[in-house]
Coordinates of all heavy atoms in Angstrom, one line a residue:
E55 N 102.1 80.1 74.8 CA 102.8 80.9 73.8 C 102.2 82.2 73.6 O 102.9 83.2 73.3 CB 102.8 80.1 72.4 CG 103.6 78.9 72.3 CD 105.1 79.2 72.1 OE1 105.5 80.4 72.1 OE2 105.9 78.2 72.0
A56 N 100.9 82.3 73.7 CA 100.2 83.5 73.3 C 99.9 84.4 74.5 O 99.1 85.3 74.4 CB 98.9 83.2 72.5
T57 N 100.6 84.2 75.6 CA 100.3 85.1 76.7 C 101.3 86.3 76.7 O 102.4 86.2 76.1 CB 100.6 84.3 78.1 OG1 101.9 83.8 78.0 CG2 99.6 83.2 78.2
D58 N 101.0 87.3 77.4 CA 101.9 88.5 77.5 C 103.2 88.1 78.0 O 104.3 88.5 77.6 CB 101.3 89.6 78.4 CG 100.2 90.4 77.7 OD1 100.1 90.2 76.4 OD2 99.5 91.2 78.3
I59 N 103.2 87.2 79.1 CA 104.4 86.8 79.7 C 105.4 86.2 78.7 O 106.5 86.6 78.6 CB 104.1 85.8 80.9 CG1 103.3 86.5 82.0 CG2 105.4 85.2 81.4 CD1 103.0 85.6 83.1
V60 N 104.9 85.2 78.0 CA 105.8 84.5 77.0 C 106.1 85.4 75.8 O 107.2 85.4 75.3 CB 105.2 83.2 76.7 CG1 106.0 82.5 75.5 CG2 105.1 82.3 77.9
E61 N 105.1 86.1 75.3 CA 105.3 86.9 74.1 C 106.3 88.1 74.3 O 107.1 88.3 73.5 CB 104.0 87.5 73.7 CG 103.2 86.7 72.7 CD 102.0 87.4 72.1 OE1 101.7 88.5 72.5 OE2 101.3 86.7 71.3
K62 N 106.2 88.7 75.5 CA 107.0 89.9 75.6 C 107.7 90.2 76.9 O 108.3 91.3 77.1 CB 106.2 91.1 75.1 CG 104.9 91.3 75.7 CD 104.1 92.4 75.0 CE 102.8 92.7 75.8 NZ 101.8 93.3 75.0
E63 N 107.5 89.4 77.9 CA 108.0 89.8 79.2 C 109.1 88.9 79.8 O 109.6 89.2 80.9 CB 106.8 89.8 80.2 CG 105.8 90.9 79.9 CD 104.5 90.8 80.8 OE1 104.5 89.8 81.6 OE2 103.7 91.6 80.6
M64 N 109.5 87.9 79.1 CA 110.5 87.0 79.7 C 112.0 87.5 79.5 O 112.3 88.0 78.4 CB 110.4 85.6 79.2 CG 109.0 85.0 79.6 SD 109.0 83.2 79.6 CE 109.4 82.8 77.9
Y65 N 112.8 87.2 80.5 CA 114.2 87.4 80.4 C 114.8 86.1 79.8 O 115.0 85.2 80.6 CB 114.8 87.8 81.7 CG 114.6 89.2 82.1 CD1 113.4 89.5 82.8 CD2 115.5 90.2 81.9 CE1 113.2 90.8 83.2 CE2 115.3 91.5 82.3 CZ 114.1 91.8 82.9 OH 113.9 93.1 83.3
T66 N 115.0 86.1 78.5 CA 115.4 84.9 77.9 C 116.8 85.1 77.2 O 117.0 86.1 76.7 CB 114.4 84.4 76.8 OG1 113.2 84.1 77.5 CG2 114.9 83.2 76.0
F67 N 117.7 84.1 77.4 CA 119.0 84.3 76.8 C 119.6 82.9 76.4 O 119.1 81.9 77.0 CB 120.0 85.0 77.7 CG 120.1 84.3 79.1 CD1 121.2 83.4 79.3 CD2 119.2 84.5 80.1 CE1 121.3 82.8 80.5 CE2 119.3 83.9 81.3 CZ 120.4 83.1 81.5
A68 N 120.6 82.9 75.6 CA 121.2 81.6 75.3 C 122.4 81.4 76.2 O 123.1 82.4 76.5 CB 121.8 81.7 73.8
D69 N 122.5 80.3 76.9 CA 123.6 80.1 77.8 C 124.8 79.7 76.9 O 124.8 79.7 75.7 CB 123.3 79.2 78.9 CG 123.3 77.7 78.5 OD1 123.5 77.4 77.3 OD2 123.1 76.8 79.4
R70 N 125.9 79.4 77.6 CA 127.2 79.2 76.9 C 127.1 77.9 75.9 O 128.0 77.8 75.0 CB 128.3 79.1 77.8 CG 128.6 80.5 78.4 CD 129.6 80.4 79.5 NE 129.6 81.7 80.2 CZ 130.3 82.8 79.8 NH1 131.1 82.7 78.7 NH2 130.3 83.9 80.5
D71 N 126.2 77.0 76.2 CA 126.0 75.9 75.3 C 125.0 76.2 74.1 O 124.7 75.4 73.3 CB 125.4 74.7 76.0 CG 126.3 74.2 77.1 OD1 127.6 74.4 76.9 OD2 125.9 73.6 78.1
G72 N 124.4 77.4 74.2 CA 123.5 77.8 73.2 C 122.0 77.3 73.5 O 121.1 77.5 72.7
D73 N 121.8 76.8 74.7 CA 120.5 76.4 75.1 C 119.7 77.7 75.5 O 120.2 78.6 76.0 CB 120.5 75.5 76.4 CG 121.0 74.2 76.1 OD1 120.7 73.6 75.0 OD2 121.8 73.6 76.9
S74 N 118.4 77.7 75.2 CA 117.6 78.8 75.5 C 117.1 78.7 76.9 O 116.4 77.8 77.3 CB 116.4 78.9 74.5 OG 115.6 80.1 74.9
I75 N 117.5 79.7 77.7 CA 117.2 79.7 79.2 C 116.4 80.9 79.5 O 116.5 81.9 78.9 CB 118.6 79.8 79.9 CG1 119.6 78.7 79.5 CG2 118.5 79.9 81.4 CD1 119.3 77.4 80.1
T76 N 115.5 80.7 80.5 CA 114.7 81.9 81.0 C 114.7 82.0 82.5 O 114.6 81.0 83.2 CB 113.3 81.7 80.4 OG1 113.3 81.8 79.0 CG2 112.3 82.8 81.0
L77 N 114.9 83.3 82.9 CA 114.7 83.6 84.3 C 113.2 83.4 84.7 O 112.4 84.0 84.0 CB 115.1 85.0 84.6 CG 116.5 85.4 85.0 CD1 116.7 86.9 85.0 CD2 116.8 84.8 86.4
R78 N 112.9 82.6 85.7 CA 111.5 82.3 85.9 C 110.6 83.5 86.0 O 110.9 84.4 86.8 CB 111.4 81.4 87.2 CG 111.9 82.1 88.4 CD 111.8 81.2 89.6 NE 112.2 82.0 90.8 CZ 112.5 81.5 92.0 NH1 112.5 80.2 92.1 NH2 112.8 82.3 93.0
P79 N 109.5 83.5 85.2 CA 108.6 84.6 85.3 C 107.5 84.3 86.4 O 106.7 85.2 86.8 CB 107.9 84.8 83.9 CG 108.0 83.4 83.4 CD 109.2 82.7 84.0
E80 N 107.4 83.1 86.8 CA 106.4 82.6 87.8 C 106.8 81.3 88.3 O 107.8 80.7 87.8 CB 105.0 82.6 87.1 CG 104.9 81.6 86.0 CD 104.2 80.3 86.4 OE1 103.1 80.4 87.0 OE2 104.7 79.2 86.1
G81 N 106.1 80.8 89.3 CA 106.6 79.6 90.0 C 105.8 78.3 89.7 O 106.4 77.2 89.9
T82 N 104.6 78.4 89.1 CA 103.8 77.2 89.0 C 104.4 76.1 88.1 O 104.5 74.9 88.4 CB 102.4 77.5 88.6 OG1 101.9 78.5 89.4 CG2 101.4 76.3 88.7
A83 N 104.8 76.6 86.9 CA 105.4 75.6 85.9 C 106.7 75.0 86.5 O 106.8 73.7 86.4 CB 105.7 76.4 84.6
G84 N 107.5 75.8 87.2 CA 108.7 75.2 87.8 C 108.4 74.2 88.9 O 109.0 73.2 89.0
C85 N 107.3 74.5 89.6 CA 106.9 73.6 90.7 C 106.5 72.3 90.2 O 106.9 71.2 90.7 CB 105.8 74.3 91.5 SG 105.4 73.5 93.0
V86 N 105.7 72.3 89.1 CA 105.2 71.1 88.4 C 106.5 70.3 87.9 O 106.6 69.1 88.2 CB 104.3 71.4 87.3 CG1 104.1 70.2 86.4 CG2 103.0 71.9 87.8
R87 N 107.4 71.0 87.3 CA 108.6 70.4 86.8 C 109.4 69.7 87.9 O 109.8 68.5 87.8 CB 109.5 71.4 86.1 CG 110.4 70.9 85.0 CD 111.8 70.7 85.4 NE 112.4 71.7 86.2 CZ 113.2 71.5 87.3 NH1 113.3 70.2 87.8 NH2 113.7 72.5 88.0
V88 N 109.6 70.4 89.0 CA 110.3 69.8 90.1 C 109.7 68.5 90.7 O 110.3 67.5 90.8 CB 110.5 70.8 91.2 CG1 111.1 70.2 92.5 CG2 111.5 72.0 90.8
L89 N 108.4 68.6 90.9 CA 107.7 67.5 91.6 C 107.6 66.3 90.6 O 107.8 65.2 91.0 CB 106.3 67.9 92.1 CG 106.3 69.0 93.2 CD1 104.9 69.3 93.6 CD2 107.1 68.6 94.3
Q90 N 107.3 66.6 89.3 CA 107.3 65.6 88.3 C 108.6 64.9 88.2 O 108.7 63.7 88.2 CB 106.8 66.3 87.0 CG 106.9 65.4 85.8 CD 105.9 64.3 85.8 OE1 104.9 64.4 86.5 NE2 106.2 63.3 85.0
Q91 N 109.6 65.7 88.0 CA 111.0 65.1 87.8 C 111.4 64.2 88.9 O 112.2 63.2 88.8 CB 112.0 66.2 87.6 CG 113.4 65.8 87.2 CD 114.3 66.9 86.8 OE1 113.8 68.0 86.3 NE2 115.6 66.8 86.9
H92 N 111.0 64.5 90.2 CA 111.4 63.7 91.3 C 110.3 62.7 91.7 O 110.4 62.2 92.9 CB 111.8 64.6 92.5 CG 113.0 65.5 92.1 ND1 114.3 65.0 92.3 CD2 113.1 66.7 91.5 CE1 115.1 66.0 91.8 NE2 114.4 67.0 91.4
G93 N 109.4 62.4 90.9 CA 108.4 61.4 91.1 C 107.5 61.6 92.3 O 107.0 60.7 92.9
L94 N 107.2 62.9 92.5 CA 106.3 63.2 93.7 C 104.9 63.5 93.3 O 104.1 64.0 94.1 CB 106.9 64.4 94.4 CG 108.3 64.1 95.1 CD1 108.8 65.4 95.7 CD2 108.2 63.0 96.1
L95 N 104.5 63.3 92.0 CA 103.2 63.6 91.6 C 102.3 62.4 91.4 O 101.1 62.4 91.8 CB 103.2 64.5 90.3 CG 103.6 65.9 90.5 CD1 103.5 66.6 89.1 CD2 102.8 66.6 91.5
Y96 N 102.8 61.4 90.8 CA 101.9 60.3 90.3 C 101.3 59.5 91.5 O 102.1 59.1 92.4 CB 102.8 59.3 89.4 CG 101.9 58.2 88.8 CD1 100.8 58.6 88.1 CD2 102.2 56.9 89.0 CE1 100.0 57.6 87.6 CE2 101.5 55.9 88.5 CZ 100.3 56.2 87.8 OH 99.5 55.2 87.3
N97 N 100.0 59.4 91.5 CA 99.3 58.7 92.5 C 99.5 59.2 93.9 O 99.6 58.4 94.9 CB 99.7 57.2 92.5 CG 98.7 56.4 91.8 OD1 97.5 56.9 91.6 ND2 99.0 55.1 91.5
Q98 N 99.8 60.5 94.0 CA 100.0 61.0 95.4 C 99.3 62.4 95.5 O 98.9 62.9 94.5 CB 101.5 61.4 95.6 CG 102.4 60.2 95.4 CD 103.9 60.6 95.4 OE1 104.3 61.2 96.4 NE2 104.6 60.2 94.4
T99 N 99.1 62.8 96.7 CA 98.7 64.2 96.9 C 99.9 65.0 97.5 O 100.7 64.4 98.2 CB 97.5 64.3 97.8 OG1 97.8 63.8 99.1 CG2 96.3 63.6 97.3
Q100 N 100.0 66.2 97.1 CA 101.1 67.1 97.6 C 100.6 68.4 97.9 O 99.7 69.0 97.1 CB 102.2 67.2 96.5 CG 103.0 66.0 96.2 CD 103.9 65.5 97.3 OE1 104.1 66.1 98.3 NE2 104.4 64.3 97.1
R101 N 101.1 69.0 99.0 CA 100.8 70.4 99.2 C 102.1 71.1 99.5 O 102.8 70.8 100.5 CB 99.9 70.6 100.5 CG 98.4 70.1 100.3 CD 97.7 70.1 101.6 NE 96.3 69.9 101.5 CZ 95.7 68.7 101.5 NH1 96.4 67.6 101.5 NH2 94.4 68.7 101.5
V102 N 102.5 72.0 98.7 CA 103.8 72.6 98.8 C 103.7 74.1 98.7 O 102.7 74.7 98.2 CB 104.8 72.1 97.7 CG1 105.0 70.6 97.9 CG2 104.3 72.4 96.3

Side-chain angles (χ1 to χ4, degrees):
E55 289 283 4
T57 58
D58 280 352
I59 294 180
V60 172
E61 270 185 359
K62 50 187 187 203
E63 293 172 359
M64 296 202 301
Y65 283 86
T66 295
F67 58 95
D69 77 359
R70 289 172 191 277
D71 296 331
D73 289 323
S74 181
I75 303 287
T76 293
L77 266 171
R78 61 184 185 193
E80 62 104 48
T82 309
C85 189
V86 168
R87 206 263 313 135
V88 167
L89 297 183
Q90 167 70 20
Q91 186 170 334
H92 296 275
L94 295 176
L95 284 183
Y96 184 55
N97 258 348
Q98 303 173 52
T99 59
Q100 296 289 351
R101 289 172 168 86
V102 296

